[in-house]
Every structure is written in C-alpha cells, then in structure tokens.
Amino acid sequence: MRTSLNIEARSAGKLRRSCRDVQDVRWRQELPASWSDLAIEPVRFDVFREYEMSAERTIGHDEHDEPCFCACRYILTQLVADEDDLFFEMPVYAETLAAWRLRDRRWLVLRNVVAYAEKARRSLSFSGSMPR
C-alpha cells in the first residue's frame, strides 16, 4: 500500500491540500545546468511512499496540471548474518531516476544504478514520454 502527499506552491493560482512547501522537493538538484532553462517548472507535487520497502515516487505538475517532473528511488536489501550469527539488512541494489519535461515536450532522463558488487552506472537520455 502507498501513501500520498499532495504538495503545491503557495504562489500557484489553484489552492490544493498541501503537506509541506514545494521547496522541500529538490526537483532541480540533478538537472544538468545546460538544460536548466529548458525544463518546465512544477507548481505542485504528488509524493508516493511505499511503506514495506525503501521506495518513493514524486510527480511534479505544471500550471496546466500536466506532469513535468518525475523522480523515483528504491533500495533492495538482503538479510545477512555477521560473525555472531546476528542478522541485519544490507543494501544490495539501489536505483534512482529523475526526469524533466523540456519545452519541446521531450523528457530528459537521468538514471543512477548501484549494484553493490559492481560499479555504479549513470546515464542521461531522452524519451518521448514520462518514465513509468
């Protein structure tokens, strides 16, 4: 089951339920500087959190209520035992994704993948639609 937070900028024309300020969502943090002027700025965010594992998804909406930002992250863990046979959770895989809708309607997608037995991989690509 997921929980949802609806977050909207105070300066937006329509008032909606808000759980925290829009400034809490760092939607520009990973955006390459060379693409910053072409990205559509969100005025409202929906944040979905998974309570059974470490995962969340954030969707930003523009003034026309169309998606213009998408971010998701999740971490997979595995139970392992130490020398004293005490079990603990250890991360074994993590993935983050951030995507911005550009003014020409393309999506700029940044994906980071970390498999803990391998090197981290980072890729930047374009897509015709919002990542799912």
Side-chain angles (χ1 to χ4, degrees), residues 48-75:
F48 304 93
R49 291 193 175 105
E50 181 64 46
Y51 71 92
E52 292 180 347
M53 64 181 290
S54 181
E56 77 177 34
R57 181 175 175 91
T58 302
I59 307 292
H61 300 271
D62 65 11
E63 63 273 358
H64 303 291
D65 210 31
E66 291 184 40
C68 62
F69 172 74
C70 173
C72 49
R73 65 155 194 88
Y74 67 93
I75 299 172

Side-chain angles (χ1 to χ4, degrees), residues 91-108:
V92 292
Y93 182 85
E95 187 169 334
T96 62
L97 176 136
W100 304 268
R101 194 180 84 223
L102 304 175
R103 299 201 186 283
D104 64 2
R105 310 278 311 160
R106 291 182 300 168
W107 285 80
L108 179 65

Side-chain angles (χ1 to χ4, degrees), residues 5-9 12-17 40-48 59-69 101 105 107 130 132:
L5 297 175
N6 188 0
I7 304 164
E8 182 161 353
K14 300 183 269 183
L15 289 177
R16 297 184 189 221
R17 225 171 358 116
I40 306 293
E41 185 169 350
V43 296
R44 180 178 66 83
F45 294 92
D46 292 319
V47 179
F48 304 93
I59 307 292
H61 300 271
D62 65 11
E63 63 273 358
H64 303 291
D65 210 31
E66 291 184 40
C68 62
F69 172 74
R101 194 180 84 223
R105 310 278 311 160
W107 285 80
M130 183 178 80
R132 301 282 173 202

Side-chain angles (χ1 to χ4, degrees), residues 75-92:
I75 299 172
L76 296 178
T77 59
Q78 177 178 325
L79 279 177
V80 294
D82 63 9
E83 301 86 35
D84 299 326
D85 288 331
L86 296 174
F87 287 91
F88 63 95
E89 275 189 298
M90 183 177 97
V92 292

